[in-house]
Amino acid sequence: DGTVSSLDQSPKCILGTCPKPKLTENVESISPDSEKVNAGEKFAVKSKSNFVPEHSELVCQTDGTVSSLDQSPKCILGTCPKPKLTENVESISPDSEKVNAGEKFAVKSKSNFVPEHSELVCQTDGTVSSLVQILFRSRTF
């Protein structure tokens, strides 16, 4: 009959939206609190303690999917590389090249020196606490 099947017969474009992803293991929260966002807007992923988001932001695409490859937020265990030995540092243990978030490196100084920080704690962001610079003081007797 030559008519268009749409009810009002005029083409429309609507803004794409994405539903809020479900919480997965080690994910503490996803914001905003709304159940969906518009295309171009983002969901922010917050991880549980000692974990970091694989993708801290998930962007809503025009096709209704979010930008991460599998569309589900993931949080992975944070790790820290072993700090390099510096002047007057005899050793840093454990011997492994990295530790998990929340674990510690123990610092042992050379003779006549004491570590300013005997333990360095691995943070979730891959940095080690008290590691602005490993400083050592000479022992005074």
Side-chain angles (χ1 to χ4, degrees), residues 46-81:
K46 183 178 178 190
S47 300
K48 292 180 180 176
S49 183
N50 296 332
F51 289 83
V52 292
E54 194 169 58
H55 302 283
S56 60
E57 292 183 334
L58 305 173
V59 180
C60 178
Q61 307 297 311
T62 55
D63 65 357
T65 62
V66 291
S67 60
S68 80
L69 297 176
D70 62 5
Q71 300 181 31
S72 60
K74 285 191 177 122
C75 289
I76 55 177
L77 189 61
T79 60
C80 297

Side-chain angles (χ1 to χ4, degrees), residues 2-98:
T3 60
V4 179
S5 64
S6 172
L7 294 177
D8 64 6
Q9 300 182 7
S10 58
K12 288 184 182 175
C13 292
I14 58 171
L15 188 59
T17 61
C18 297
K20 185 175 190 172
K22 302 285 185 226
L23 293 179
T24 57
E25 186 177 4
N26 302 316
V27 174
E28 185 172 301
S29 65
I30 300 171
S31 58
D33 289 333
S34 60
E35 288 305 308
K36 65 181 180 177
V37 297
N38 293 326
E41 294 179 337
K42 300 172 185 176
F43 289 106
V45 178
K46 183 178 178 190
S47 300
K48 292 180 180 176
S49 183
N50 296 332
F51 289 83
V52 292
E54 194 169 58
H55 302 283
S56 60
E57 292 183 334
L58 305 173
V59 180
C60 178
Q61 307 297 311
T62 55
D63 65 357
T65 62
V66 291
S67 60
S68 80
L69 297 176
D70 62 5
Q71 300 181 31
S72 60
K74 285 191 177 122
C75 289
I76 55 177
L77 189 61
T79 60
C80 297
K82 184 175 187 174
K84 302 282 186 230
L85 292 179
T86 57
E87 186 178 359
N88 302 319
V89 177
E90 184 175 306
S91 65
I92 298 175
S93 58
D95 288 333
S96 61
E97 289 304 309
K98 66 179 180 176

Side-chain angles (χ1 to χ4, degrees), residues 98-116:
K98 66 179 180 176
V99 298
N100 293 329
E103 295 180 341
K104 300 174 183 177
F105 288 106
V107 179
K108 183 178 178 188
S109 61
K110 292 181 179 177
S111 211
N112 296 327
F113 290 86
V114 294
E116 187 161 279

Side-chain angles (χ1 to χ4, degrees), residues 120-131:
L120 305 171
V121 181
C122 177
Q123 306 298 307
T124 56
D125 65 357
T127 61
V128 179
S129 70
S130 305
L131 192 60

